[in-house]
Amino acid sequence: MGSPALKGAPRGVLLVTGGSRGIGAAVARLAADAGDAVLLSYRRDAEAAAAVVHDITAAGGRARAVPADVADEAQVLAMFATLDTWRAELDRPFTGLVSNAGVLETQRKLVDMDAGRWERVLRTNVIGSFLCAREAVRRMARSAGGTGGAIVNLSSRAAKLGAAFEYVDYAASKAAVDAMTLGLSREVAAEGIRVNAVAPGLIRTDIHASGGEPGRVDRLSAAVPMGRGGEPEEVAQAVLWLLSEASSYTTGTVLEVSGGR
Ligand code: NAP
C-alpha cells in the first residue's frame, strides 16, 4: 500500500512547543491536517508525543517529535537545529511557531509560595517563550533570508483575572507573555512576521491536575457565561486562524477563547 494522500496541500514547517498533550497536541493535529509539516516538542512524555506523531502520519500528514525543555537555552537551540535540518530535508519554509509549552504548580496563596517555584514557572512560561520567539525571528525575518511567518503565544485569561488563591505567579507569567506579544509584534512587523497570542479560559486538559485539582473546570463552569469548559480543539481553531493568511492584517493582539469568562 502506498502512503496515504495528504489532506491539505503541503504548506510550511510549524513548530509547536509542548505539542504532545492538551492544547498543543490539538494544534499539531489540526495544522498537520491543513498541510503543515509539524515539529512538536515535549519535555518528558515521549510516549504521548509519539502517539500524536503516529496519528498525524497515519492520517497522511507529516510530523516529528523532539524532546526539548523550553526553559533550557541549550535545549531550545538544539530543537531549532533539528528544525533547520528537517526543514531543509523537506525543502519547505519555516512559517510558524506556536509557543504553547507552559506550566503551573499547586494552588496556593502567594504568601505561601517560595522563590524556587517562581523561578520554575517564570523560566518555562516567560523565558521559554522568549527563547523560542528569538530563534523563530532569527529564521523567519526577511532581512535574514526568511519568508516571514506567524508566531502565536499561549497566554491565559489568568493574565487579566489574576488567579488569586491559586497561582498568581502563573497569571503574572502570562501577563509577561502578553507584553512580549505586543512589543515583539511591533519590532518584527516590517520583517513580515506577525505575533499574536491566544488567551484560553477553562480548557479540559491535564494542566489542572498539575495544579492539584483535576476537576477544576467542572467546579468553575457555572461562572462561565457559556456554561461550560472549553475543549483543546476550540483553542486550536483560534491558533490556526492566527497562523493563517486569513488573519493577514492582525498582529499584536491577544484573542480570548474563554466562553465569555
Ligand atoms: P498540558 O495539558 O499540561 O500540556 C502541557 C504541554 O507542554 C505538554 O506537552 C508538556 O510536555 C509540555 N511542556 C510543559 N513544560 C514544558 C517545558 N518546560 N518544555 C517543553 N515542553 C513542556 O497543558 P495545556 O492545558 O494544554 O496548556 C497549554 C498552554 O495553554 C500552556 O501555556 C497553558 O498555560 C495555556 N493555557 C491552558 C489553559 C487550560 O485551561 N488548559 C488555560 C489558559 C492557558 P510533557 O508532557 O512532556 O511534560
Side-chain angles (χ1 to χ4, degrees):
M1 228 169 72
S3 0
L6 276 174
K7 286 184 185 166
R11 305 199 306 191
V13 175
L14 174 71
L15 172 61
V16 183
T17 66
S20 56
R21 295 187 289 114
I23 293 167
V27 170
R29 291 176 203 276
L30 263 187
D33 217 30
D36 285 336
V38 180
L39 182 66
L40 58 98
S41 79
Y42 63 97
R43 183 183 41 169
R44 293 197 191 111
D45 195 342
E47 215 171 297
V52 177
V53 170
H54 174 270
D55 289 352
I56 289 173
T57 309
R62 280 204 184 266
R64 187 170 163 178
V66 56
D69 182 344
V70 296
D72 180 321
E73 185 170 17
Q75 293 187 41
V76 171
L77 294 179
M79 172 177 73
F80 274 89
T82 301
L83 178 111
D84 291 339
T85 307
W86 197 45
R87 190 206 67 66
E89 275 169 26
L90 295 174
D91 194 22
R92 297 200 203 180
F94 170 45
T95 50
L97 163 69
V98 180
S99 240
N100 165 82
V103 290
L104 48 74
E105 297 199 10
T106 314
Q107 296 166 342
R108 61 185 48 157
K109 292 190 283 187
L110 183 148
V111 74
D112 296 325
M113 294 176 188
D114 61 32
R117 165 184 170 135
W118 295 333
E119 278 167 13
R120 287 189 298 276
V121 170
L122 295 173
R123 180 159 279 282
T124 293
N125 297 1
V126 181
I127 296 183
S129 301
F130 274 61
L131 287 169
C132 292
R134 183 190 73 194
E135 294 307 308
V137 166
R138 286 178 175 172
R139 289 160 174 80
M140 289 174 177
R142 286 184 184 142
S143 64
T147 56
I151 296 173
V152 179
N153 294 317
L154 263 292
S155 177
S156 170
R157 283 292 292 136
K160 294 279 163 52
L161 298 173
F165 304 104
E166 294 189 316
Y167 12 71
V168 173
D169 52 348
Y170 170 82
S173 76
K174 296 300 185 175
V177 166
D178 289 356
M180 181 267 265
T181 299
L182 179 60
L184 182 63
S185 74
R186 292 176 177 180
E187 286 187 2
V188 300
E191 293 282 3
I193 305 170
R194 295 181 301 105
V195 187
N196 292 288
V198 169
L202 295 162
I203 311 301
R204 293 187 185 284
T205 72
D206 297 340
I207 203 168
H208 308 285
S210 59
E213 190 187 2
R216 180 169 177 266
V217 175
D218 291 327
R219 174 173 63 85
L220 295 171
S221 285
V224 179
M226 286 181 70
R228 64 173 178 85
E231 298 300 327
E233 293 71 24
E234 294 180 287
V235 180
Q237 290 287 1
V239 172
L240 264 282
W241 180 73
L242 287 169
L243 289 172
S244 78
E245 277 302 302
S247 63
S248 54
Y249 199 53
T250 303
T251 198
T253 62
V254 180
L255 176 56
E256 293 174 3
V257 181
S258 59
R261 178 175 180 261

